[in-house]
Amino acid sequence: MKKQTIGSLKQLRKKENRMGYLFASPWLIGIIVLGAFPILASFYISFTSYDMSSAPQWVGLKNYIILFTNDDVFWKSLWNTIYHVVIAIPLGLIVGIILALLLNNKIKGMSIYRTLFYLPCVVSIVAMSLLWMWLFQPQFGIINEVLSPIYNLFNMEPILWLQSSSTSKITLILMGLWTAGGSMVIYLAQMQDIPTSLYESAEVDGANWIQKTFRITLPLMTPSIFFNFIMGIIGGFQVFTIAYIMTNGGPAQSTYYYAYYMFDKMMSDQAMGMASAMAWILLVIVLIVTMFALRLNNKVVYLGEEG
Amino acid sequence: MKKVLLMLLVIVASITLFSCGDKESERTEITFWHMSPVGDVSYSSVKQLITDFNDSQELYFVKGVGFSFWDYWDKINVAVASSTAPSIGLSTIDDVVSRAESGVIYNISDLMAADTSGVNTLDLSEFRQSQMDFATYEDDLYAMPFSATTRALFYNLDMFEEMGLTEADVPTTWSELQTIAKMFDVQEEDGTITRIGFDPTYGDTTYHGWLWQAGLDFFDEDLNPTLNTPEHLEVLNWILDFNEDFTRTQLTAFGEANAMLGVNPFTSERVAMIVSNDGLYQTINTSGADINYGVAAIPVPDEDGIHVCWGSGFSLEMYDNGDNTDAEVAGAYEFYKYLLSESVQLKLGESLGWLMSHISAMETYVEGDPILETLLGEVDYAMDKVYVPYAPAWHASDWQTYYTQIMDGDLTPEAGLLAARNHYLQKQENYNTLNE
Amino acid sequence: MEQTIKKPRFTKRQRTRIKHGILHIVLLLCSVGFMFPFLWMLFTALKTPQELLLGFEQFFPADPQWGNFKEAVTMIPFLLYLKNSLIIVILVVTGTLFSATTTAYAFAKLRWKGKEKWFIIMLATLMIPIQVILIPTYVMYSYIGWLSTRLPLIVPAFFGGGAAFYIFLLRQFFMGVPKELSESAVIDGASHIQIFFKIMLPLSKPALMTVGLFTFMATWNDYFGPLIFLSNPDHWTLAIGLRAFQTRFGGRYDLMMAASILVMLPTLVIFFFAQKSFIEGITFTGIKG
């Protein structure tokens, strides 16, 4: 290839444009064929009554109207999901940040602790679900065994964890904290980028550990907190597998999450139109929450020198 | 540029290589989906039956695919929906009509009429009319019953003897059942149950099963939910109060312990009596449990009670994907007849441990075994649940929610039944809105 | 703490030591909390069912039942599932690395029409629940006859399916590579393909490692995809096999734990060997945009 001169800048641009498309082509092809088509099709199906065996029948907005006005299970599953998201995500953020703060000290064995805390994140969700079903098992599980002195002390009935509708949602959330190491490493990565000079000058001013944490560390960590928050929201609204394996949505639909109801609409009622409508409502909810978070982000998040 | 193109080419080539290259022969391939997956005890015998058929054929070649019972339903539903269904497969007999209506299964009556070969013709007199009624749509058969299930009371004679009871004491009414069951209950000091006589929620019991015996049901003839009458409540309370000496937590713990030990409560003599489907016979045999037991009809509420139980069965269906060739249909029908012939039904019964639908084959199969004879006799009293288009899973996910809440004491029986009825009404209304 | 405020009784060095001592105790306690489930899993897998009913009374397995592992393996066609998992994982990792690196390069280093729009679309795909596209995708694959094959799980990886997050990570990383490096290469007459292969990829080894490991974990552990798309049981993966194990032998926690350990063992081993680049890869790629 020959050396390019400034005169052929236009040509260079044109070539770069071509190269851009070429490099992006695998993904571009994928997004159009494997992304756009199914999305459009599912949007269409959401306006039909489609039982998978006969052709879709156009019903207009009826699926959406029924879901919003005459479907108690829809609201129940939405409530269950919001409950999960609202508690699990802040709790996960806090535990992840605390772990990261503990590890963000120059102490021996830091990388070992880090590995240990991260380890649960590599366990498959099926294996994790089976494990925690066993740990939470009310009569023979280890958690109630450990707590039995406390039960005896206060003369109370053992907690039934997954087997009671009043504790099942919280139990699944507590289980989720086991994987807080996943967000921890992201916080830790950002914490270690904070210039030590900031802390040093704060120390000169007589700042203690708490002041340094709240005035320096946390504000500078906002981008990664925001990132984990968004990822948590998106994943949280899709929570399905843990309930499918551990509780079957029960007891009494207390862990019957939105995605689970959608799955049943598909699989047991074979109401594809209704299920697609639910998928689209979910998408809109996630988009709205994310947009709010973005607004918040612009106000709160520290953007650093690069912006 | 060239490198990238080359890479793409290699990828495309390897993908195409992956997707082809497993055509077995030039014969027309027929696919058959069954429930004996790789690793299952019945896998090899089902495979053998398919091989036998293939060896006798020059035109057709059957390829069998086995899924576990648990995975089968999702697979077949989605496959039917996406027109990738197998040529032949099993399904549930109670909702054949819905598939017949939407045209995804072949009209078996038509195929029978067109079959002039005269060999191995289907002998309809060998199948129960009650089962074939479920497979009939607009006077034509759209499926054939493949197997039959029933439910019965299994009782442990060794344990009966211990209490000084004999076969004559086997309960026939609900009150007798309760009196005798109480004799077997054993509870430790800390509340742990180690043995019970009977529980109306254990085994293969269902609320609708008990309702039927009292002449009640979830729905009326027009499929409107009728669930909260005083009679319905009475049956529910009987279930709830049967073991009122124990707390629900203790009963649950008892069930969990059974599962953890990996034992069937009946074969491990932790319950004296249990309502189970005919599969328990097979379970007892394979567990090697050395117990002396008998089988009887499930006790009824009182002298006026109805001798009935929930029994179903699989239907054998030929799927129409819209692009099946004539050769495929003809071949599938040959295999269809083969699967429903007396000798194959007998072999299937022996290897699967199911009661098959072919009457003569099953009479041969059960001969000389009093347990199996009784079970086969109970098939005649088996009734299948009604298909409700607006709530196909009415007995499962829909009802279970309210049932567990009532059992756990989160809802009173009255409130639970009312809530369940309202749930069905809402589903019905929504279904009508969508299909008006 | 009180003493330190009044009068420094300890030197600065001593204070750090005390602080670190307390930290170590707290961290050790946390570690026990995080590791105990694994330990209990192993103990459970080695117990008899009767021992399980005893709970704490029988903390250690009295007579380790190594046979439980053998039993768990023979109850499902474990080796077949293992082979299937490996085939899918290897191809998906390859495909994802290919499509994610090229696309990320286009987004990070090249100027082309509509780049910004496509980038937003890519980030938006992160938010689309899989359920939205599930039904039509299934119908599409059935239409082209892929349902009896593994292709629905493999091919999308070569076209950036499910890779939006990795593309984003790699783009961040590529953007961090100094402009001067590629600009001087351009002046020297190198093409973008050369820059990509000779400069970008070699410089991005840690990031590539991270993306590869993430993809490995996600694919190995994936449950939903194989459940829906693998209609042929001869293609089933370990995650599906484990669930099948639960539905069939539910309650037998000794065997379920043994099977679970076997399923997660490869990920644990790989993680231990690669944990440095795994965790530090996250540090490199960072979420600092």
Side-chain angles (χ1 to χ4, degrees):
Chain A
M1 235 176 259
K2 273 186 185 171
K3 257 192 181 182
Q4 302 286 345
T5 55
I6 300 162
S8 60
L9 191 69
K10 217 174 175 180
Q11 225 180 339
L12 200 70
R13 276 277 159 81
K14 219 172 161 184
K15 196 176 161 223
E16 195 175 337
N17 191 36
R18 269 210 315 274
M19 291 310 290
Y21 276 104
L22 179 72
F23 270 95
S25 61
W27 178 79
L28 284 176
I29 293 168
I31 195 70
I32 290 162
V33 179
L34 302 170
F37 162 72
I39 287 172
L40 292 176
S42 116
F43 191 61
Y44 167 72
I45 293 171
S46 78
F47 296 102
T48 66
S49 167
Y50 180 36
D51 66 356
M52 306 223 296
S53 40
S54 38
Q57 301 287 320
W58 182 262
V59 295
L61 281 169
K62 275 182 189 167
N63 285 324
Y64 292 92
I65 293 169
I66 285 173
L67 284 171
F68 282 119
T69 60
N70 201 28
D71 189 338
D72 298 340
V73 183
F74 170 79
W75 290 108
K76 182 159 200 174
S77 68
L78 187 59
W79 158 246
N80 287 339
T81 310
I82 289 174
Y83 183 104
H84 180 85
V85 168
V86 165
I87 297 185
I89 291 168
L91 209 58
L93 288 179
I94 291 167
V95 172
I97 291 170
I98 290 176
L99 287 176
L101 284 173
L102 286 174
L103 284 187
N104 191 32
N105 287 287
K106 290 187 183 66
I107 56 166
K108 269 185 202 155
M110 191 272 242
S111 66
I112 297 173
Y113 289 125
R114 196 177 56 180
T115 307
L116 291 184
F117 293 167
Y118 190 79
L119 199 59
C121 298
V122 305
V123 176
S124 92
I125 197 155
V126 182
M128 182 170 94
S129 300
L130 296 183
L131 169 60
W132 284 88
M133 271 176 84
W134 170 226
L135 298 174
F136 279 124
Q137 211 281 344
Q139 289 86 23
F140 313 101
I142 194 73
I143 291 176
N144 268 0
E145 290 268 344
V146 171
L147 292 178
S148 70
I150 299 175
Y151 295 145
N152 290 336
L153 191 67
F154 295 101
N155 202 16
M156 61 191 269
E157 283 271 305
I159 300 171
L160 293 177
W161 302 111
L162 293 167
Q163 290 179 17
S164 156
S165 51
S166 52
T167 49
S168 54
K169 279 193 273 282
I170 286 290
T171 307
L172 290 180
I173 290 169
L174 288 177
M175 178 186 88
L177 292 182
W178 197 43
T179 55
S183 55
M184 176 203 72
V185 290
I186 294 174
Y187 297 131
L188 205 52
Q190 190 153 41
M191 278 181 190
Q192 294 182 338
D193 268 9
I194 299 173
T196 43
S197 58
L198 277 178
Y199 292 112
E200 278 158 12
S201 53
E203 267 164 46
V204 170
D205 291 343
N208 61 24
W209 178 80
I210 294 175
Q211 283 167 324
K212 279 191 282 180
T213 303
F214 280 92
R215 297 276 166 78
I216 302 173
T217 318
L218 289 180
L220 289 175
M221 269 168 64
T222 39
S224 57
I225 295 175
F226 174 70
F227 173 81
N228 280 324
F229 179 72
I230 295 290
M231 285 328 226
I233 294 279
I234 293 164
F237 273 103
Q238 294 182 52
V239 58
F240 166 77
T241 311
I242 48 171
Y244 183 65
I245 290 175
M246 299 175 79
T247 60
N248 286 317
Q253 290 188 329
S254 56
T255 56
Y256 200 54
Y257 297 117
Y258 193 89
Y260 203 149
Y261 187 40
M262 210 184 323
F263 180 82
D264 274 353
K265 278 272 174 227
M266 281 170 65
M267 294 306 189
S268 31
D269 286 2
Q270 282 150 41
M272 294 298 141
M274 197 70 94
S276 298
M278 285 189 72
W280 277 87
I281 294 169
L282 176 65
L283 182 60
V284 170
I285 293 173
V286 171
L287 285 180
I288 289 173
V289 176
T290 313
M291 246 139 66
F292 264 107
L294 274 170
R295 278 272 168 81
L296 206 68
N297 176 50
N298 292 339
K299 280 187 189 155
V300 178
V301 171
Y302 171 83
L303 290 168
E305 285 94 71
E306 310 134 80
Chain B
M1 186 73 180
K2 269 181 191 162
K3 261 188 193 168
V4 174
L5 280 179
L6 201 70
M7 257 175 98
L8 277 172
L9 202 72
V10 169
I11 289 155
V12 171
S14 55
I15 287 165
T16 14
L17 275 176
F18 247 92
S19 51
C20 48
D22 56 355
K23 279 278 164 284
E24 285 264 5
S25 70
E26 285 158 28
R27 294 191 273 175
T28 306
E29 191 179 280
I30 313 293
T31 43
F32 169 50
W33 283 12
H34 52 80
M35 295 184 203
S36 304
V38 187
D40 194 88
V41 277
S42 57
Y43 175 73
S44 56
S45 37
V46 171
K47 201 174 175 183
Q48 187 57 48
L49 282 174
I50 295 169
T51 313
D52 289 347
F53 177 81
N54 287 339
D55 291 347
S56 73
Q57 287 292 324
E58 278 164 14
L59 294 172
Y60 314 115
F61 178 85
V62 173
K63 196 177 149 206
V65 182
F67 299 101
S68 83
F69 173 83
W70 309 97
D71 301 302
Y72 186 85
W73 305 107
D74 289 349
K75 297 285 177 198
I76 195 89
N77 284 341
V78 189
V80 168
S82 58
S83 298
T84 52
S87 324
I88 299 184
L90 306 184
S91 197
T92 40
I93 202 162
D94 65 333
D95 56 356
V96 168
V97 171
S98 74
R99 287 182 293 278
E101 195 179 1
S102 48
V104 293
I105 49 179
Y106 281 103
N107 182 329
I108 301 296
S109 295
D110 283 355
L111 288 167
M112 280 174 73
D115 181 18
T116 49
S117 65
V119 254
N120 288 328
T121 41
L122 281 175
D123 182 1
L124 295 187
S125 67
E126 285 289 0
F127 298 89
R128 282 178 195 79
Q129 193 57 46
S130 61
Q131 282 199 302
M132 285 193 291
D133 284 346
F134 271 100
T136 306
Y137 170 68
E138 292 182 347
D139 299 330
D140 279 346
L141 272 171
Y142 277 79
M144 283 294 289
F146 183 66
S147 65
T149 61
T150 189
R151 282 167 175 75
L153 181 79
F154 286 67
Y155 52 90
N156 187 317
L157 272 173
D158 295 335
M159 288 166 81
F160 265 53
E161 224 163 85
E162 243 172 74
M163 294 289 155
L165 300 170
T166 65
E167 226 157 8
D169 298 305
V170 172
T172 55
T173 63
W174 288 3
S175 57
E176 285 174 25
L177 180 64
Q178 200 159 8
T179 317
I180 292 175
K182 289 276 172 255
M183 301 169 71
F184 295 95
D185 293 350
V186 180
Q187 192 172 22
E188 278 174 20
E189 262 176 49
D190 65 352
T192 311
I193 304 170
T194 51
R195 196 175 83 181
I196 59 168
F198 182 82
D199 191 275
T201 61
Y202 277 15
D204 289 314
T205 51
T206 56
Y207 178 52
H208 67 259
W210 297 117
L211 283 181
W212 289 353
Q213 297 189 321
L216 302 164
D217 206 342
F218 271 50
F219 306 95
D220 65 16
E221 276 141 31
D222 301 323
L223 297 182
N224 298 309
T226 52
L227 204 54
N228 55 338
T229 69
E231 292 79 25
H232 285 87
L233 190 62
E234 204 181 316
V235 175
L236 189 57
N237 277 325
W238 173 75
I239 296 174
L240 272 173
D241 297 340
F242 192 94
N243 276 313
E244 55 192 341
D245 306 346
F246 305 132
T247 65
R248 200 35 67 180
T249 319
Q250 287 165 347
L251 282 168
T252 314
F254 178 69
E256 292 265 342
N258 292 334
M260 276 172 62
L261 291 166
V263 295
N264 180 291
F266 186 73
T267 58
S268 60
E269 309 208 311
R270 285 164 69 87
V271 299
M273 293 173 283
I274 198 165
V275 166
S276 176
N277 66 34
D278 46 278
L280 182 56
Y281 171 82
Q282 200 71 13
T283 311
I284 295 169
N285 280 354
T286 47
S287 75
D290 181 25
I291 51 169
N292 188 14
Y293 72 102
V295 175
I298 302 169
V300 290
D302 48 43
E303 294 73 34
D304 303 329
I306 300 165
H307 185 180
V308 64
C309 65
W310 178 27
S312 184
F314 294 128
S315 55
L316 192 64
E317 300 176 5
M318 281 176 57
Y319 295 98
D320 183 354
N321 289 331
D323 58 354
N324 308 58
T325 63
D326 290 347
E328 271 168 35
V329 178
Y333 186 60
E334 281 307 311
F335 187 61
Y336 192 85
K337 288 189 293 181
Y338 171 79
L339 286 175
L340 293 171
S341 64
E342 184 167 348
S343 61
V344 175
Q345 283 267 305
L346 179 59
K347 279 180 202 157
L348 281 167
E350 284 163 354
S351 57
L352 295 170
W354 297 350
L355 293 174
M356 306 306 292
S357 53
H358 195 284
I359 295 168
S360 301
M362 280 305 103
E363 279 167 356
T364 319
Y365 173 58
V366 303
E367 215 176 328
D369 186 328
I371 304 270
L372 279 181
E373 278 172 1
T374 316
L375 285 173
L376 187 64
E378 285 302 307
V379 173
D380 293 330
Y381 295 98
M383 185 169 106
D384 210 341
K385 67 183 161 53
V386 63
Y387 175 71
V388 181
Y390 63 82
W394 61 265
H395 66 298
S397 50
D398 289 317
W399 166 242
Q400 282 310 317
T401 308
Y402 301 97
Y403 199 42
T404 48
Q405 271 175 290
I406 295 166
M407 286 296 149
D408 295 345
D410 294 339
L411 278 178
T412 63
E414 292 89 339
L417 287 179
L418 181 67
R421 179 166 177 263
N422 288 338
H423 172 74
Y424 291 120
L425 281 173
Q426 194 175 55
K427 281 200 125 176
Q428 187 182 29
E429 192 187 333
N430 291 341
Y431 181 84
N432 292 339
T433 311
L434 280 177
N435 293 282
E436 63 197 12
Chain C
M1 269 303 176
E2 285 164 37
Q3 298 104 319
T4 53
I5 296 167
K6 281 180 199 159
K7 204 177 180 184
R9 255 214 205 152
F10 304 103
T11 63
K12 200 179 169 187
R13 210 170 145 181
Q14 279 172 316
R15 274 216 306 270
T16 328
R17 243 189 222 171
I18 293 169
K19 199 181 119 194
H20 281 188
I22 295 169
L23 252 177
H24 270 296
I25 292 168
V26 174
L27 285 171
L28 274 173
L29 283 176
C30 289
S31 307
V32 170
F34 274 91
M35 288 305 107
F36 184 77
F38 286 110
L39 197 69
W40 196 240
M41 196 175 194
L42 181 66
F43 286 175
T44 304
L46 293 175
K47 284 181 184 176
T48 64
Q50 282 76 16
E51 282 178 302
L52 292 189
L53 295 181
L54 295 174
F56 253 162
E57 275 174 59
Q58 189 72 54
F59 190 81
F60 295 102
D63 174 22
Q65 304 288 308
W66 295 103
N68 279 348
F69 285 98
K70 204 183 152 196
E71 201 176 336
V73 166
T74 45
M75 278 165 131
I76 48 171
F78 191 86
L79 286 179
L80 176 73
Y81 294 160
L82 178 68
K83 189 191 88 186
N84 293 335
S85 283
L86 284 174
I87 292 176
I88 289 173
V89 163
I90 290 168
L91 288 168
V92 167
V93 170
T94 315
T96 304
L97 283 177
F98 162 75
S99 60
T101 48
T102 52
T103 312
Y105 183 74
F107 280 129
K109 291 287 175 192
L110 296 169
R111 273 163 298 177
W112 42 288
K113 263 186 219 158
K115 178 171 113 171
E116 285 74 23
K117 264 184 223 148
W118 284 114
F119 187 66
I120 289 167
I121 290 175
M122 190 200 72
L123 289 183
T125 61
L126 275 174
M127 288 168 209
I128 293 177
I130 175 136
Q131 286 85 355
V132 175
I133 57 170
L134 192 63
I135 303 162
T137 310
Y138 193 92
V139 175
M140 185 170 78
Y141 287 138
S142 78
Y143 193 73
I144 51 176
W146 279 10
L147 283 184
S148 55
T149 70
R150 299 182 180 92
L151 295 176
L153 292 179
I154 295 166
V155 172
F158 285 89
F159 296 95
F165 180 55
Y166 308 132
I167 295 173
F168 178 73
L169 283 184
L170 286 168
R171 170 190 173 262
Q172 299 302 99
F173 189 87
F174 288 160
M175 285 183 34
V177 174
K179 261 187 191 154
E180 295 76 33
L181 273 177
S182 47
E183 267 169 12
S184 63
V186 171
I187 290 163
D188 288 346
S191 72
H192 278 289
I193 290 169
Q194 282 166 321
I195 296 171
F196 177 70
F197 280 107
K198 301 248 167 78
I199 298 175
M200 280 300 173
L201 291 188
L203 277 175
S204 329
K205 268 183 197 148
L208 293 179
M209 189 88 165
T210 309
V211 169
L213 285 167
F214 268 124
T215 316
F216 173 88
M217 299 286 175
T219 315
W220 183 270
N221 294 335
D222 185 22
Y223 172 70
F224 202 67
L227 176 75
I228 303 288
F229 291 119
L230 291 182
S231 61
N232 187 342
D234 295 344
H235 292 161
W236 280 359
T237 61
L238 283 172
I240 297 285
L242 193 55
R243 163 66 174 178
F245 197 91
Q246 182 212 3
T247 47
R248 269 184 260 169
F249 310 104
R252 283 299 300 277
Y253 287 106
D254 49 338
L255 298 180
M256 280 202 285
M257 291 303 113
S260 300
I261 288 174
L262 291 174
V263 170
M264 63 191 224
L265 208 55
T267 49
L268 290 187
V269 169
I270 290 192
F271 176 71
F272 267 114
F273 280 108
Q275 59 100 2
K276 211 166 146 66
S277 51
F278 200 83
I279 293 177
E280 277 166 18
I282 301 170
T283 319
F284 273 121
T285 41
I287 319 298
K288 299 158 198 164

